[in-house]
């Protein structure tokens, strides 16, 4: 049952989409659209689900008039010369709007050929000039599309993680699947047994030597630790009384955030794994991220709080993290209470849930956070003082944030109404490029190990791969094989 649901979780390059669309337009149905079968690694164009293509091509509807319409016969009989022959009788409202816009332009001394899209053209020209200034070409379309059936549409979950060994983990309902980017192979890792249980979060260990270990949060309050290479569950970690929607690794320390408003620190080496519990949120913890140094943890909650926690808070009871495994057994202070640790800073400037969190890789102590529908802002923080350095209104729900590893740029993903990704230039926060294609809110993002490719997962049950940040500077000058073997056709540079 698990693998049959992954039939359509295969690569569809953008070059194939046109072939598939033409094949579907010439055939009313296909035998592969409703029948299950074994995974074949890469789908042929005709095996792409029709419902997916129909949704992707729905925006290009035909606007030409029906030939049997009396309006059409009346226009054609009047002759082909003149503008009347080009009028679409089914869009009178649109014609009136264009006419009024042209009249207003003339009345204000503008050209009679002015259109209401002049401001849009100016914005596009500004985007083009910014794109030229960054010195690289950024494709607007995804290089690959994967179908992800049963991807849970829940803003508070974290269902995508890309490992340092170039394996993408995706949670689909009760299952976790692994997509090997270099080969395109798909492997089923696990299926939860209980019918009421489903995967609520996934996170790979960030250390390269241990990058085959993955943590899986569940709706039944448990975190499972798996060895992906051996396809074996190592252990289960408890400590929560509600689902675990956020996970973040810091070497052998695993932080888990739950709907019970708690953040539990686990030492995965120890039998008594619960080292400490962070208490500061009042509602579900939906965002969790350690900085690269492993010194500060940022957490976002549904009560609009952004909290900052120091690693030393939990390690005081374990001899600084270098001694024994069990909390309080060695080097612990007699007055240390590992069950009730408060945040160093609790920041209240957001006006909606804070899920999107990203630590800046080139400026120590700089954190970016994004707010939900009622907030719509990206805020930049000095995490030493808690000061807001900048706040940008994006106009829509901010679901995820990613910093570039090579450039001073940041990418954001959004919900209603555009459901797009936006690439920004930091610190000016000038829009460099918008990436559109998803038909529902873009809930998750992660980037490839080399930092060039970004994967987005949306409520439209698709994964899309975008060449957002480009290849590392040293690879652009050399003749190395880049990530192009899974972000499009292979490229030698």
């Amino acid at each position: 049952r698990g693998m049959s649901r992954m039939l359509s979780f295969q690569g569809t390059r953008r070059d194939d989409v046109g072939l598939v669309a033409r094949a579907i337009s010439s055939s009313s149905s296909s035998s592969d659209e409703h029948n299950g079968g074994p995974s074949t690694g890469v789908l042929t164009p005709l095996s792409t689900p029709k419902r997916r293509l129909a949704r992707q091509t729905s925006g290009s509807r035909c606007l030409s008039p029906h030939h049997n319409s009396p309006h059409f016969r009346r226009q054609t009989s009047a002759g082909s010369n003149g503008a009347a022959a080009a009028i679409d009788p089914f869009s009178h409202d649109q014609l009136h709007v264009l006419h009024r816009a042209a009249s207003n332009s003339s009345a204000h001394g503008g050209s009679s050929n002015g259109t209401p899209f002049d401001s849009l053209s100016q914005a596009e020209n500004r985007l083009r000039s910014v794109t030229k200034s960054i010195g690289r070409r950024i494709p607007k379309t995804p290089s690959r599309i994967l179908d992800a059936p049963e991807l849970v549409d829940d803003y508070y979950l974290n269902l995508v993680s890309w490992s340092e060994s170039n394996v993408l983990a995706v949670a689909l309902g009760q299952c976790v699947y692994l997509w090997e980017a270099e080969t395109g192979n798909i492997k089923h890792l696990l299926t939860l047994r209980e019918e009421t249980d489903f995967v609520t979060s996934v996170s790979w260990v960030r250390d390269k030597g241990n990058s085959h270990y993955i943590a899986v949060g569940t709706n039944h309050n448990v975190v499972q630790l798996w060895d992906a290479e051996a396809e074996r569950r190592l252990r289960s970690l408890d400590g929560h009384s509600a689902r675990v929607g956020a996970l973040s690794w810091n070497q052998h320390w695993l932080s888990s955030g739950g709907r019970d408003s708690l953040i539990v620190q686990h030492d995965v080496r120890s039998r008594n794994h619960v080292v400490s519990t962070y208490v500061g949120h009042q509602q579900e913890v939906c965002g969790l991220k350690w900085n690269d140094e492993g010194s500060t943890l940022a957490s976002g909650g549904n009560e609009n709080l952004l909290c900052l926690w120091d690693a030393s808070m939990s390690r005081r009871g374990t001899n600084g993290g270098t001694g024994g495994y069990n909390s309080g057994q060695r080097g612990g202070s007699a007055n240390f209470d590992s069950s009730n640790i408060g945040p160093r800073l609790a920041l209240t400037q957001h006006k909606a849930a804070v899920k999107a969190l990203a630590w800046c890789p080139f400026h120590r102590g700089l954190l970016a956070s994004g707010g939900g529908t009622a907030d719509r802002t990206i805020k930049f923080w000095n995490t030493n003082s808690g000061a807001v350095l900048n706040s940008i209104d994006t106009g829509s729900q901010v679901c995820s944030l990613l910093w570039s590893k090579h450039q001073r740029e940041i990418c954001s993903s959004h919900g209603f109404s555009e459901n797009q990704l936006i690439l920004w230039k930091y610190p000016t926060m000038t829009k460099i490029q918008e990436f559109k294609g998803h038909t529902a809110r873009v809930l998750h993002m992660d980037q490839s190990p080399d930092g060039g490719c970004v994967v987005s997962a949306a409520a439209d049950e698709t994964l899309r791969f975008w060449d957002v940040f480009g290849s590392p500077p040293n690879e652009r000058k050399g003749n190395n094989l880049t990530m192009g073997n899974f972000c499009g056709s292979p490229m030698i540079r």
Side-chain angles (χ1 to χ4, degrees):
R1 178 171 174 263
M3 287 304 294
S4 64
R5 285 184 299 184
M6 279 298 296
L7 284 175
S8 54
F9 187 71
Q10 308 292 335
T12 304
R13 299 180 186 274
R14 59 172 176 264
D15 298 335
D16 299 334
V17 173
L19 297 175
V20 181
R22 289 194 294 272
I24 287 181
S25 63
S26 62
S27 175
S28 59
S29 63
S30 174
S31 59
D32 292 335
E33 292 165 1
H34 306 290
N35 298 329
S39 175
T40 57
V42 177
L43 279 181
T44 59
L46 288 180
S47 61
T48 302
K50 182 176 181 180
R51 66 180 179 89
R52 201 64 69 210
L53 288 173
R55 185 158 57 213
Q56 293 171 355
T57 59
S58 59
S60 57
R61 54 178 182 173
C62 180
L63 298 179
S64 60
H66 198 282
H67 288 263
N68 293 328
S69 167
H71 299 281
F72 183 81
R73 290 198 300 268
R74 188 160 53 248
Q75 289 178 19
T76 53
S77 62
S80 59
N81 54 347
I87 294 177
D88 182 357
F90 300 98
S91 59
H92 293 305
D93 294 338
Q94 182 180 6
L95 291 175
H96 289 320
V97 171
L98 293 175
H99 177 71
R100 285 197 302 270
S103 300
N104 293 337
S105 176
S106 299
H108 289 83
S111 171
S112 60
N113 295 327
T115 71
F117 306 111
D118 287 342
S119 59
L120 179 60
S121 300
Q122 294 173 4
E124 291 178 347
N125 290 333
R126 285 195 297 270
L127 278 176
R128 292 192 187 99
S129 63
V130 173
T131 304
K132 290 180 180 179
S133 67
I134 65 174
R136 72 177 189 275
R137 176 181 172 273
I138 306 176
K140 292 184 178 181
T141 55
S143 55
R144 183 184 290 269
I145 301 173
L146 300 180
D147 201 12
E150 298 189 30
L151 184 76
V152 179
D153 181 8
D154 193 324
Y155 178 77
Y156 302 100
L157 307 184
N158 294 272
L159 305 178
V160 169
S161 184
W162 206 329
S163 75
E164 293 297 323
S165 55
N166 210 4
V167 178
L168 178 67
V170 183
L172 302 178
Q174 295 178 296
C175 305
V176 173
Y177 292 93
L178 308 180
W179 183 68
E180 298 177 357
E182 295 181 353
T183 63
N185 295 332
I186 294 172
K187 180 170 64 174
H188 169 260
L189 179 64
L190 67 93
T191 298
L192 299 178
R193 298 178 180 178
E194 300 291 335
E195 292 185 1
T196 58
D197 201 5
F198 58 92
V199 180
T200 53
S201 55
V202 291
S203 180
W204 291 99
V205 175
R206 292 303 177 185
D207 296 337
K208 289 186 177 181
N210 297 312
S211 60
H212 56 285
Y213 295 117
I214 184 172
V216 179
T218 68
N219 189 51
H220 282 186
N221 323 335
V222 175
V223 178
Q224 297 183 4
L225 186 61
W226 282 74
D227 183 343
E229 288 184 352
E231 300 183 34
R232 182 171 61 94
R233 186 177 69 178
L234 302 178
R235 64 183 305 183
S236 295
L237 309 174
D238 55 12
H240 288 280
S241 59
R243 72 179 188 182
V244 183
L247 298 168
S248 184
W249 284 94
N250 183 9
Q251 299 181 6
H252 56 270
W253 302 80
L254 174 64
S255 302
S256 60
R259 183 177 267 181
D260 55 8
S261 77
L262 301 178
I263 300 173
V264 179
Q265 304 295 338
H266 310 268
D267 185 345
V268 298
R269 305 169 302 175
S270 173
R271 175 175 298 176
N272 300 325
H273 55 86
V274 177
V275 175
S276 57
T277 303
Y278 290 175
V279 179
H281 290 281
Q282 286 81 48
Q283 296 185 32
E284 181 169 13
V285 179
C286 50
L288 213 54
K289 195 78 66 176
W290 281 99
N291 63 354
D292 291 339
E293 295 82 13
S295 60
T296 306
L297 174 68
S299 64
N302 190 38
E303 75 291 287
N304 314 342
L305 275 181
L306 171 61
C307 295
L308 297 174
W309 320 75
D310 288 338
S312 58
M313 292 177 172
S314 59
R315 292 179 182 176
R316 283 179 297 173
T318 57
N319 195 24
T322 60
Y325 292 154
N326 300 329
S327 67
Q329 288 187 352
R330 299 184 186 176
S333 171
N335 297 323
F336 178 76
D337 183 8
S338 63
S339 64
N340 189 17
I341 298 177
R344 174 170 60 86
L345 288 173
L347 309 173
T348 61
Q349 285 86 336
H350 278 291
K351 299 178 182 179
V354 183
K355 177 193 175 185
L357 299 170
W359 289 94
C360 181
F362 54 82
H363 195 298
R364 186 173 183 177
L366 175 60
L367 174 69
S369 63
T373 305
D375 183 85
R376 308 179 307 179
T377 65
I378 300 174
K379 298 184 187 299
F380 297 90
W381 307 85
N382 180 335
T383 57
N384 294 320
S385 64
V388 179
L389 303 178
N390 197 4
S391 181
I392 301 297
D393 189 346
T394 65
S396 59
Q397 179 187 53
V398 183
C399 301
S400 184
L401 291 169
L402 284 177
W403 286 96
S404 171
K405 297 181 179 180
H406 319 297
Q407 312 289 339
R408 292 181 178 266
E409 298 168 0
I410 188 170
C411 183
S412 58
S413 70
H414 300 272
F416 181 83
S417 63
E418 296 295 332
N419 306 313
Q420 84 277 41
L421 283 70
I422 302 178
L423 180 62
W424 309 82
K425 186 69 175 178
Y426 184 83
T428 62
M429 291 308 288
T430 305
K431 282 187 183 180
I432 299 176
Q433 186 70 272
E434 291 193 16
F435 305 88
K436 298 182 179 181
H438 283 293
T439 58
R441 55 183 179 174
V442 186
L443 296 168
H444 318 287
M445 286 195 305
D446 207 346
Q447 58 184 319
S448 57
D450 75 341
C453 184
V454 171
V455 60
S456 59
D460 60 7
E461 298 185 351
T462 64
L463 301 176
R464 294 169 189 258
F465 295 81
W466 315 81
D467 187 14
V468 174
F469 297 127
S471 302
N474 58 339
E475 291 192 6
R476 295 176 196 165
K477 297 178 182 179
N479 293 323
N480 299 324
L481 179 65
T482 69
M483 305 292 283
N485 58 337
F486 67 91
C487 289
S489 57
M491 289 179 284
I492 304 293
R493 295 187 183 183

